[in-house]
Amino acid sequence: MNHTLNQRKIKYILFLSIALAISLPWFLRPGYLILLDWQGTPEIPVFQMDGTGGLSGTLIQLVLFATALFTGSAFAQKLFLFLTLATIGYATTRLANMLLPEESPPSIPYIAGVFAMLNPFVYNRIQMGHVYLLAGYALTPLAIIATLKFIQKPTIRNGCIASLISSLIVVISIHHIILLPLILACFIWITWKPIKIQLSHCFSLLIPFLCTAAVLLIVATSPSSKLHTINKQDLS
């Protein structure tokens, strides 16, 4: 028990430290990070439909607004990116711990977590201001963990947990409506072992996610959505 707690403390300290090393220059300078597609500045109205995802992304808007009430919007923007970076490393380390054999060197999961934080994809998403996609990327390992736990022990509780985490990710990032099922399918296929899963257990895994995805897609493709203003010149 103590060994497990110590490992968790090491993960927290390691990835919070790396995230702080990356983001410290942001905190030391006043003002906002002016990224390509996201500036983090206050917007009126607070609750706005995302130009790409409709409702997807509005949850982060509300969290940032609530945080900004106490810290100011510039600090809230930097805090969000700091916590996102730390979550990427921590969640990836947990996933690696789950997948690797027990005889694997204990440093491998930490290396995986650091690599997940420090790579060109993360750097580019930050520079481009694709914060919704980056937040979905940070939480995806947790969805994989929860789904694999359901496969190992199919219960309604495990199915609901996996489905709710997956639903949260697509509420944050519309791109993960396609990306996440493909990723989960790959991990299920790689780790699959014959096991009997009841239909009610399958429903607990699929129904909440499918309902959430359906609502997001309906809103995103509604006549009022900005998706309908995109033309061929925007895609060229």
Side-chain angles (χ1 to χ4, degrees):
M1 182 69 177
N2 289 333
H3 178 67
T4 303
L5 289 174
N6 288 334
Q7 282 189 326
R8 287 183 180 179
K9 288 180 182 178
I10 291 172
K11 292 175 191 175
Y12 293 144
I13 294 171
L14 173 64
F15 296 114
L16 286 172
S17 299
I18 295 174
L20 183 60
I22 296 170
S23 59
L24 186 59
W26 307 339
F27 288 106
L28 292 178
R29 294 181 180 180
Y32 297 92
L33 297 175
I34 306 301
L35 309 176
L36 184 62
D37 290 343
W38 184 64
Q39 288 75 47
T41 54
E43 297 179 344
I44 303 297
V46 174
F47 185 85
Q48 297 191 79
M49 298 284 277
D50 182 67
T52 301
L55 284 173
S56 186
T58 53
L59 178 62
I60 288 179
Q61 292 179 29
L62 294 174
V63 170
L64 286 171
F65 175 74
T67 306
L69 292 176
F70 302 96
T71 67
S73 52
F75 186 87
Q77 178 203 35
K78 298 166 187 176
L79 180 64
F80 170 75
L81 290 173
F82 163 74
L83 293 175
T84 300
L85 287 169
T87 302
I88 291 171
Y90 174 77
T92 303
T93 300
R94 282 194 58 188
L95 177 60
N97 271 326
M98 182 181 189
L99 295 175
L100 290 171
E102 292 184 2
E103 61 271 16
S104 299
S107 60
I108 298 299
Y110 295 99
I111 293 173
V114 171
F115 178 77
M117 291 177 70
L118 308 178
N119 62 70
F121 172 81
V122 173
Y123 172 79
N124 184 255
R125 292 310 100 191
I126 293 175
Q127 293 294 319
M128 296 294 289
H130 296 169
V131 293
Y132 302 156
L133 181 61
L134 191 65
Y137 170 75
L139 295 175
T140 294
L142 300 181
I144 298 171
I145 292 170
T147 302
L148 294 183
K149 284 183 178 178
F150 169 79
I151 297 300
Q152 294 170 0
K153 187 179 179 181
T155 64
I156 292 178
R157 179 178 181 274
N158 286 345
C160 288
I161 291 173
S163 191
L164 290 174
I165 295 174
S166 299
S167 298
L168 174 63
I169 291 172
V170 299
V171 167
I172 289 173
S173 169
I174 193 71
H175 305 81
H176 283 78
I177 283 184
I178 296 174
L179 292 173
L180 187 59
L182 291 175
I183 293 169
L184 294 178
C186 289
F187 276 91
I188 291 172
W189 180 67
I190 291 171
T191 60
W192 177 259
K193 294 180 181 179
I195 188 172
K196 185 178 180 180
I197 302 178
Q198 297 180 16
L199 191 59
S200 60
H201 297 159
C202 292
F203 284 158
S204 70
L205 177 69
L206 296 175
I207 296 300
F209 176 80
L210 292 176
C211 289
T212 303
V215 170
L216 293 173
L217 288 173
I218 290 170
V219 173
T221 55
S222 66
S224 60
S225 171
K226 294 181 182 179
L227 285 175
H228 290 271
T229 67
I230 296 176
N231 53 42
K232 292 182 179 180
Q233 292 180 346
D234 295 319
L235 302 175
S236 61

